[in-house]
Amino acid sequence: MDYTVLTLDGWLEFNHRKWGLSPVKLSLSESTSERPAIELVIYTDKRGRIKTPKLNPYTPLAFLPTDTQSVSRLGRQWLSVSEVVVKEFRERGVVNAVSFPPSIVDVRPWKWGSFQVTVNYSLYSEFPYSINYADKSVRAKVRKATRLGYICKRTSQLKDVIECLDDTGERQDFDYRLNIADLEICQRLLGPDICRAYVCYSPNGDAASARVALSYPGASAVGWVAGTKRDYLSDGCAQLLWLFTLEDLQSAGACGFDYAGANIRSVAAAKAAWGGQLVPYYTIRQPNARALVHHMIDFWQFARGNRKYR
């Protein structure tokens, strides 16, 4: 899994313009030697604190060891250089949650540094991908949409994308906080071959379902945003577009697809039906009032769950 797409200058500039945060590329090591080192991209607010922009699935981080095959030595190098990163985090301060990509499996230095550590999940499909990996219910939906005459396209008609996102946000009571101008800026900064927009059109020409993926040749593609209009939910257009997206990203040279989260029960079930591998990723928080609020929400939800299962 390679999340190079999240380190591209165009992506960093988009987040700067949209969310008002400053991207900072860091290469940290224990000494003046180039390796071992950790390269990462963080965003900072006006006070210099680390803050993850909205709609960013991960804080991209890469471990650069010395030229060794020794497992024990690699482990020692990771622990020593990640302590430098932890020190950087503590000195800057962390406003909200920082999620590392699934390739980072050891976050003990953050735990030892008294950060709160939680585990989350995503789904990942390696390419080449085949529809045969998907659940039969998905394949049936794809056949239904095809039979009804739905057509999928890569598009520059970003108004059609926003219509689908807004309808979904209204239905599910959330807001992507994206508009047409935002998508236009993102595509202009990254290029349409990296910020790839897709729409599934109904037989009457209406935009029924849309999604945007971030892709870079030889690296992992990431599902960014998606939405389907309520009038077309039962027709299979979302599933048809999902398949079209996976096939297009594969043809464009991506090595796999990250579904960008599988932590909400209903969403997780829909994504799992595509046959991707469940992958954990770790999230850290600095203990503060915001983290305390999240802890209290978890406590309240746990208490509700106890009542449910009695």
Side-chain angles (χ1 to χ4, degrees):
M1 290 177 278
D2 179 336
Y3 294 89
T4 298
V5 71
L6 300 179
T7 69
L8 299 179
D9 289 342
W11 180 245
L12 306 189
E13 178 62 19
F14 169 75
N15 282 291
H16 172 60
R17 295 190 190 185
K18 175 60 180 175
W19 310 113
L21 300 173
S22 299
V24 181
K25 292 184 178 181
L26 297 174
S27 180
L28 301 174
S29 60
E30 285 189 294
S31 62
T32 56
S33 60
E34 293 185 357
R35 297 196 179 197
I38 287 178
E39 292 182 347
L40 70 160
V41 177
I42 60 171
Y43 294 86
T44 59
D45 64 10
K46 293 180 179 179
R47 294 171 55 183
R49 301 174 300 175
I50 297 171
K51 185 176 182 180
T52 304
K54 185 178 174 66
L55 303 180
N56 274 242
Y58 308 117
T59 292
L61 184 153
F63 172 47
L64 306 177
T66 60
D67 186 16
T68 178
Q69 300 299 317
S70 169
V71 174
S72 60
R73 189 175 182 188
L74 288 169
R76 288 195 300 270
Q77 289 183 7
W78 164 258
L79 290 177
S80 64
V81 74
S82 59
E83 290 283 1
V84 179
V85 182
V86 172
K87 181 181 178 182
E88 185 82 16
F89 276 41
R90 292 181 68 90
E91 290 177 348
R92 290 179 179 271
V94 180
V95 176
N96 57 358
V98 174
S99 295
F100 298 125
S103 55
I104 304 303
V105 298
D106 184 1
V107 294
R108 289 175 297 170
W110 281 267
K111 191 175 184 67
W112 296 335
S114 299
F115 284 88
Q116 295 178 331
V117 177
T118 55
V119 61
N120 290 289
Y121 296 90
S122 188
L123 287 153
Y124 189 88
S125 288
E126 291 187 354
F127 292 156
Y129 179 83
S130 170
I131 185 60
N132 294 325
Y133 300 155
D135 187 82
K136 63 180 181 181
S137 63
V138 169
R139 300 196 298 270
K141 286 283 191 179
V142 169
R143 290 193 298 269
K144 179 179 181 180
T146 302
R147 185 174 64 252
L148 290 174
Y150 283 85
I151 297 175
C152 298
K153 300 178 180 178
R154 268 188 66 195
T155 184
S156 59
Q157 300 300 316
L158 300 179
K159 176 178 178 294
D160 294 344
V161 176
I162 290 296
E163 285 181 5
C164 296
L165 298 184
D166 288 348
D167 191 283
T168 294
E170 182 181 333
R171 186 179 73 252
Q172 298 184 355
D173 194 27
F174 73 91
D175 187 358
Y176 280 119
R177 292 179 60 188
L178 292 174
N179 54 40
I180 296 174
D182 293 328
L183 293 185
E184 289 175 345
I185 290 171
C186 193
Q187 276 206 336
R188 186 166 66 250
L189 290 170
L190 285 168
D193 289 337
I194 294 176
C195 180
R196 304 170 81 91
Y198 304 90
V199 174
C200 183
Y201 292 96
S202 70
N204 65 12
D206 189 25
S209 184
R211 64 179 52 248
V212 181
L214 306 175
S215 180
Y216 190 74
S220 301
V222 178
W224 187 32
V225 291
T228 301
K229 292 181 181 177
R230 67 198 77 190
D231 293 343
Y232 303 105
L233 284 171
S234 63
D235 286 356
C237 57
Q239 288 77 11
L240 183 64
L241 183 62
W242 211 322
L243 177 60
F244 182 87
T245 302
L246 290 173
E247 292 177 341
D248 180 72
L249 293 170
Q250 180 173 300
S251 297
C255 66
F257 181 75
D258 191 313
Y259 293 75
N263 300 296
I264 301 172
R265 183 175 295 182
S266 59
V267 174
K271 292 180 178 180
W274 287 90
Q277 176 188 1
L278 184 67
V279 291
Y281 65 92
Y282 292 99
T283 297
I284 65 102
R285 292 180 183 272
Q286 175 181 312
N288 52 27
R290 183 190 295 263
L292 180 61
V293 169
H294 281 275
H295 176 74
M296 295 304 297
I297 292 173
D298 289 342
F299 177 82
W300 177 73
Q301 291 177 336
F302 183 81
R304 287 185 64 197
N306 278 346
R307 292 195 296 269
K308 175 182 177 181
Y309 287 107
R310 283 174 183 168

